[in-house]
Amino acid sequence: MKTPVTVVGIGADGWEGLPPASRDAIREAQVLLGGTRHLALVPDTGAVREPWPSPLLSGLPMLLDRYRDRRVVVLASGDP
């Protein structure tokens, strides 16, 4: 069974600018995916941190498959 991926929008104000539900999702994540800049905006929660592969399009399916049975949160710019 594949676990759904939660997407959290994060702005330049980082952790402080996130609503409580977004902070909770990040705290509960087993894996955080995102750009290096986004990953640096959140505190260490003990989750695996994985920056986007390059090239993204061809590397994304393998990355998502690797963590398919874990709680994954994707950090994205702004309000996705």
Side-chain angles (χ1 to χ4, degrees), residues 3-74:
T3 304
V5 173
T6 301
V7 178
V8 171
I10 188 165
D13 52 356
W15 184 254
E16 293 76 25
L18 292 174
S22 295
R23 289 184 185 197
D24 289 344
I26 291 169
R27 284 187 194 107
E28 294 168 7
Q30 294 173 304
V31 180
L32 291 173
L33 303 177
T36 305
R37 179 176 61 89
H38 295 115
L39 293 171
L41 292 172
V42 298
D44 184 8
T45 62
V48 172
R49 290 172 179 247
E50 186 88 44
W52 292 127
S54 181
L56 178 62
L57 190 56
S58 62
L60 190 56
M62 186 172 63
L63 181 65
L64 292 174
D65 190 52
R66 183 181 321 149
Y67 298 116
R68 73 176 170 265
D69 295 324
R70 299 173 93 183
R71 285 185 311 273
V72 174
V73 169
V74 169

